[in-house]
Amino acid sequence: MAIHVGVIGLGRMGQIHARNIAENVPDATLYAACSYVDEELELAKREFGVKETYKNYEDMIANTNLDAVVIVSPSGLHTEHIRIAMQKGLHVFCEKPIGLDSEDIKKTIEVINSRPNQVFQLGFMRRYDESYQYAKKLVDEGTIGELTLIRCYGIDPSSGLESFVNFAKNSRSGGLFADMSIHDIDLVRWFTGKEIKRVWAIGKNAAYPILDKLGELETGAAMMQLEDKTMAILVAGRNAAHGYHVETELIGTKGMLRVAQQPEKNLVTIFNNEGVVRPTSQNFPERFHDAFIREMKEFISCIKEGRQPEVTAYDGLLGTIVADACQKSVETNSIVVID
Ligand code: NAI
């Protein structure tokens, strides 16, 4: 029988998950949706065939027809929404970050751990991207030897700035490191299997003064040392003129790997009066289109097969702790040690 899913949040990301559940995950039915915004609820009925819509989350999950919820509400609401759904006996998929406050996340993990028969999955979708999975396999097989340094770029396109400003005005993003670098922090932990122990982070706003008013950074950089002295350098930003720039480099004792050396759209190269041009992915829905579908298929498979996914709530906690350390490092201009 199909798993009945309710989605909370139908904004930029919520609509992607809603469409995937409705159209691309065969064993799932998008049964209900919740949002503050009337037009989004209308769209959910019209485009995704949702049967029931709600403005209040607790009303939605009181519906006994639901098996699972997909939480795509603003980041500051995730932990509360996870706890309520877990306590109702539902399986939970939650977008990143799991939360913005580590003590609150720890309380939430206690609730998750007290219900081992319910699936909990966190939206670290890069782990479901085929290129990252291939790179991970090569690293695990020792192809590039022992890792010494990981360099990550995660920069949103300048064209997305307006929508980000609206997002940041209406809800807490958690800052550049919790909102953007969290994916790279997870990749560093995933590739190495080691914890990050010291960080030094800095940032600058240049092109968009409005980000100063919102307490947000346009570009930030963090240097990290892991427990075994492996190094990581993370660059995050909101202002890539050429598109959505996600790139990862892994340097090992026997070689080097790059994922998306140029963040290419596809295999096409254009030769014209602008020179030799490689089109780039323009945004996260385009670059991670398949990964979003694969992570949702994994969530539904876990429910059907009675198992937990590889990515855990603990990974979410560690992501937030490291992102917080980066933010603190920017604010205090000092190296922050993570216990
Ligand atoms: P958004 O601002 O576009 O949408 C938020 C949605 O939540 C709206 O539909 C709003 O009506 C709804 N909402 C807000 N408070 C609510 C409440 N109390 N009850 C019911 N509905 C409520 O936000 P966006 O960009 O879609 O982000 C949502 C989450 O997805 C964030 O946590 C963000 O970090 C994450 N995200 C993850 C991405 C990834 O790469 N995995 C990419 C973009 C966002």
Side-chain angles (χ1 to χ4, degrees):
M1 235 185 54
I3 305 294
H4 282 191
V5 182
V7 68
I8 170 166
L10 286 166
R12 290 185 310 169
M13 190 66 231
Q15 289 184 30
I16 293 171
H17 285 314
R19 184 177 296 283
N20 285 339
I21 297 160
E23 296 175 4
N24 296 316
V25 183
D27 291 332
T29 298
L30 184 65
Y31 189 84
C34 173
S35 165
Y36 278 157
V37 183
D38 288 324
E39 296 80 47
E40 291 177 356
L41 296 176
E42 284 308 312
L43 179 133
K45 281 191 198 152
R46 195 176 61 243
E47 298 231 347
F48 312 138
V50 166
K51 295 211 173 17
E52 299 184 22
T53 56
Y54 297 86
K55 286 200 160 175
N56 181 300
Y57 177 54
E58 295 193 46
D59 289 346
M60 180 175 88
I61 61 173
N63 187 319
T64 49
N65 288 317
L66 286 183
D67 302 302
V69 285
V70 169
I71 297 172
V72 209
S73 51
S75 306
L77 301 176
H78 290 179
T79 45
E80 187 193 338
H81 288 158
I82 293 168
R83 289 195 295 264
I84 298 174
M86 290 301 288
Q87 279 157 349
K88 274 271 172 200
L90 297 169
H91 304 284
V92 175
F93 175 100
C94 180
E95 252 313 325
K96 61 62 140 160
I98 187 170
L100 299 178
D101 176 83
S102 48
E103 290 311 311
D104 186 39
I105 298 170
K106 286 180 196 161
K107 273 198 300 183
T108 308
I109 290 181
E110 278 175 27
V111 176
I112 294 169
N113 289 346
S114 72
R115 295 181 165 260
N117 296 331
Q118 290 163 239
V119 173
F120 177 82
Q121 185 170 335
L122 192 62
F124 282 144
M125 79 294 182
R126 290 196 199 168
R127 293 192 189 206
Y128 296 91
D129 175 78
E130 279 186 90
S131 299
Y132 280 107
Q133 287 189 336
Y134 181 55
K136 173 82 162 93
K137 183 169 167 288
L138 293 176
V139 168
D140 289 350
E141 288 170 357
T143 309
I144 59 167
E146 185 180 330
L147 288 175
T148 53
L149 189 145
I150 302 180
R151 179 179 63 87
C152 304
Y153 277 36
I155 312 177
D156 264 345
S158 318
S159 60
L161 201 92
E162 198 182 317
S163 108
F164 170 71
V165 166
N166 284 335
F167 171 70
K169 271 184 189 160
N170 296 328
S171 53
R172 279 169 67 210
S173 77
L176 185 65
F177 299 102
D179 193 40
M180 295 288 293
S181 302
I182 198 119
H183 288 297
D184 289 320
I185 293 166
D186 185 58
L187 285 184
V188 168
R189 295 185 59 254
W190 187 52
F191 274 116
T192 61
K194 299 278 186 262
E195 296 304 345
I196 296 160
K197 288 295 167 192
R198 300 201 311 155
V199 307
W200 180 52
I202 47 182
K204 177 171 174 177
N205 286 351
Y208 298 102
I210 186 163
L211 293 177
D212 278 332
K213 291 199 193 102
L214 294 169
E216 292 282 349
L217 282 175
E218 180 184 317
T219 304
M223 190 174 278
M224 304 181 168
Q225 188 178 48
L226 278 70
E227 56 189 317
D228 67 345
K229 295 215 163 50
T230 303
M231 297 163 277
I233 298 170
L234 272 50
V235 176
R238 309 264 179 213
N239 190 22
H242 56 286
Y244 180 56
H245 194 123
V246 169
E247 177 192 342
T248 308
E249 180 177 83
L250 301 143
I251 300 176
T253 50
K254 294 186 190 159
M256 203 162 100
L257 282 178
R258 282 197 189 140
V259 182
Q261 175 166 335
Q262 285 102 28
E264 290 136 336
K265 185 180 179 70
N266 50 36
L267 296 177
V268 174
T269 304
I270 305 166
F271 300 79
N272 66 9
N273 57 2
E274 289 176 11
V276 181
V277 180
R278 296 296 325 268
T280 49
S281 328
Q282 288 304 305
N283 46 47
F284 64 85
E286 183 183 3
R287 168 63 181 87
F288 290 108
H289 176 269
D290 292 350
F292 288 129
I293 295 172
R294 287 160 62 104
E295 71 174 353
M296 202 50 69
K297 283 187 172 166
E298 169 68 355
F299 177 55
I300 298 300
S301 296
C302 284
I303 296 173
K304 294 206 100 163
E305 293 161 20
R307 61 181 173 86
Q308 293 291 341
E310 181 204 70
V311 54
T312 64
Y314 183 73
D315 293 319
L317 172 66
L318 265 294
T320 298
I321 287 175
V322 175
D324 279 353
C326 293
Q327 194 64 37
K328 189 170 164 202
S329 177
V330 171
E331 284 161 16
T332 58
N333 192 21
S334 60
I335 293 175
V336 174
V337 178
I338 300 168
D339 288 335

